[in-house]
């Protein structure tokens, strides 16, 4: 199992690689998978603003490409003094591969600022069960 310290460092390392020339707001995300591997992603913006991609989505793509499909926990690191909680779309993206009690750690460069469960950030969520339980 990857330690939270290791996951934090991975998020910090990938945050530095973000391509965010428009918002100037770099984000890094690091996912711990059940087998101990870590998958990372950063935001990648675009001159056509709406087609930019969030860090969490990039980390999830790396996870799936790497053959894993469960999120044990995730660290999201943004800039500034406020909590960089995942956007609404990314809460749903995380939800696909997580459980209600999966931890989402929100970090700044100095460390983890606050930890949430997925259930706290996305209560009464819609998920795969909604499509099969019919
Ligand atoms: N962003 C993320 O990558 N993840 C978040 O959780 C919040 C926002 C990105 C999107 C955009 O590139 C920049 O941060 C400003 O919104």
């Amino acid at each position: 199992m990857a330690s939270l310290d290791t996951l934090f460092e991975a998020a910090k390392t990938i945050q530095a690689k973000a391509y965010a020339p428009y918002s100037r707001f770099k984000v890094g995300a690091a996912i711990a998978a059940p087998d101990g591997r870590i998958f990372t992603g950063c935001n990648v913006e675009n001159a056509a603003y709406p087609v930019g991609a969030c860090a969490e989505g990039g980390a999830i793509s790396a996870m799936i490409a790497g053959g894993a499909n469960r999120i044990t926990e995730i660290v999201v690191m943004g800039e500034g003094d406020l909590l960089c909680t995942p956007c609404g779309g990314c809460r749903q993206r995380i939800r696909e591969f997580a459980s209600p009690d999966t931890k989402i750690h929100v970090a700044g460069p100095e460390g983890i600022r606050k930890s949430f469960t997925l259930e706290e950030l996305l209560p009464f969520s819609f998920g795969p069960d909604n499509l099969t339980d019919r």
Side-chain angles (χ1 to χ4, degrees):
M1 176 74 90
S3 78
L4 187 51
D5 276 355
T6 307
L7 205 58
F8 169 80
E9 289 302 331
K12 195 170 189 173
T13 299
I14 197 73
Q15 182 195 26
K17 295 181 177 173
Y19 176 76
Y22 305 106
S23 70
R24 299 187 181 284
F25 189 86
K26 293 186 170 193
V27 185
I31 290 171
D35 63 7
R37 286 187 293 164
I38 290 175
F39 299 98
T40 59
C42 55
N43 54 333
V44 181
E45 297 183 348
N46 194 286
Y49 296 168
V51 300
C54 284
E56 296 90 326
I60 288 170
S61 292
M63 175 186 77
I64 294 298
N69 62 10
R70 293 302 294 171
I71 297 173
T72 301
E73 55 185 341
I74 178 169
V75 171
V76 179
M77 184 173 318
E79 299 198 59
D81 293 335
L82 299 179
L83 291 176
C84 181
T85 44
C87 75
C90 285
R91 294 178 195 202
Q92 187 70 40
R93 290 185 184 94
I94 293 167
R95 189 256 179 265
E96 184 73 15
F97 306 105
S99 307
D101 62 350
T102 298
K103 288 277 173 57
I104 298 171
H105 306 281
V106 177
E110 77 288 355
I112 304 291
R113 291 179 177 171
K114 195 166 171 60
S115 299
F116 301 90
T117 63
L118 173 66
E119 178 71 17
E120 287 176 304
L121 295 185
L122 196 66
F124 301 103
S125 64
F126 184 90
D129 290 350
N130 291 91
L131 300 180
T132 53
D133 181 32
R134 288 186 288 174

